[in-house]
């Protein structure tokens, strides 16, 4: 895999398209660590990474070709920090998710406790991390009609993503539990507890 699908965004921005979320996480991590591309911001997405404030876009495009060699050599990522999130599994949609997965409610808790998730990118609301790591066969659809208010701290699923609502807001994800952790603090550095690259384990309480 090499980062060859590059689009210029204005005079100082680049969008690099990759095959999927794992590649986007790896590329963003490499760009933050490797002293090959000078950019003010590295913003990963589900299948792309956006660079903003690129000092020399032409040099950046050339340097991005070396990422493929780094990936092939197995030097593309470093393990991010681990955050353990205490979760009480009593969500409105927990039984529905159990039915869709064809397991018991304790079975859902077991699956979620066993998997290590990774914050792929943040969006939707400050501190809302899109957590990847669930197998595709466990993907669940969003609600047909979003709820007008989902409580802060709600742990929810949509497609193969897991997310935790940092504040109360409308939303269409399926709620399986809740946590009391503060996910966004504008006085902290970084303000998002689950910044991109963070490893996440959900610990049943």
């Amino acid at each position: 895999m090499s980062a060859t699908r590059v689009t210029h965004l204005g005079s100082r921005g680049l969008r690099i398209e990759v095959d999927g979320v794992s590649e986007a996480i790896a590329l963003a991590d490499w760009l933050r660590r490797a002293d090959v591309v000078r950019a003010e911001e590295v913003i990963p997405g589900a299948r792309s990474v956006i660079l903003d404030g690129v000092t020399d876009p032409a040099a950046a495009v050339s340097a991005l070709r070396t990422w493929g060699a780094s990936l092939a050599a197995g030097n593309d990522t470093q393990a991010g920090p681990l955050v353990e999130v205490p979760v009480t599994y009593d969500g409105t949609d927990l039984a529905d998710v159990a039915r869709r997965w064809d397991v018991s409610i304790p079975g859902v808790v077991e699956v979620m406790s066993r998997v290590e998730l990774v914050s792929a990118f943040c969006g939707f609301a400050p501190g809302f991390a899109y957590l990847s790591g669930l197998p595709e066969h466990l993907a669940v659809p969003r609600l047909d009609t979003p709820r007008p208010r989902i409580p802060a701290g709600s742990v929810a699923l949509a497609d193969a993503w897991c997310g935790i609502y940092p504040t109360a807001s409308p939303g269409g994800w399926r709620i399986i539990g809740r946590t009391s952790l503060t996910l966004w603090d504008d006085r902290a550095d970084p303000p998002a507890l689950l910044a991109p690259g963070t490893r996440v384990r959900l610990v049943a309480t």
Side-chain angles (χ1 to χ4, degrees), residues 130-155:
Y130 286 74
L131 305 176
S132 68
L134 279 176
E136 286 293 334
H137 73 274
L138 297 181
V140 296
R142 287 171 169 80
L143 298 173
D144 293 334
T145 303
R147 294 185 173 99
R149 185 182 184 277
I150 290 183
S154 294
V155 179

Side-chain angles (χ1 to χ4, degrees), residues 99-176:
R99 179 182 61 79
R100 291 174 182 275
W101 286 4
D102 195 24
V103 298
S104 63
I105 287 177
V108 174
V109 177
E110 180 182 354
V111 169
M112 298 305 299
S113 300
R114 187 172 62 240
V115 69
E116 183 173 281
L117 304 168
V118 178
S119 174
F121 57 95
C122 292
F124 171 65
F128 187 97
Y130 286 74
L131 305 176
S132 68
L134 279 176
E136 286 293 334
H137 73 274
L138 297 181
V140 296
R142 287 171 169 80
L143 298 173
D144 293 334
T145 303
R147 294 185 173 99
R149 185 182 184 277
I150 290 183
S154 294
V155 179
L157 305 177
D159 301 323
W161 298 103
C162 178
I164 307 173
Y165 285 77
T167 57
S169 64
W173 291 35
R174 295 179 188 269
I175 304 169
I176 59 172

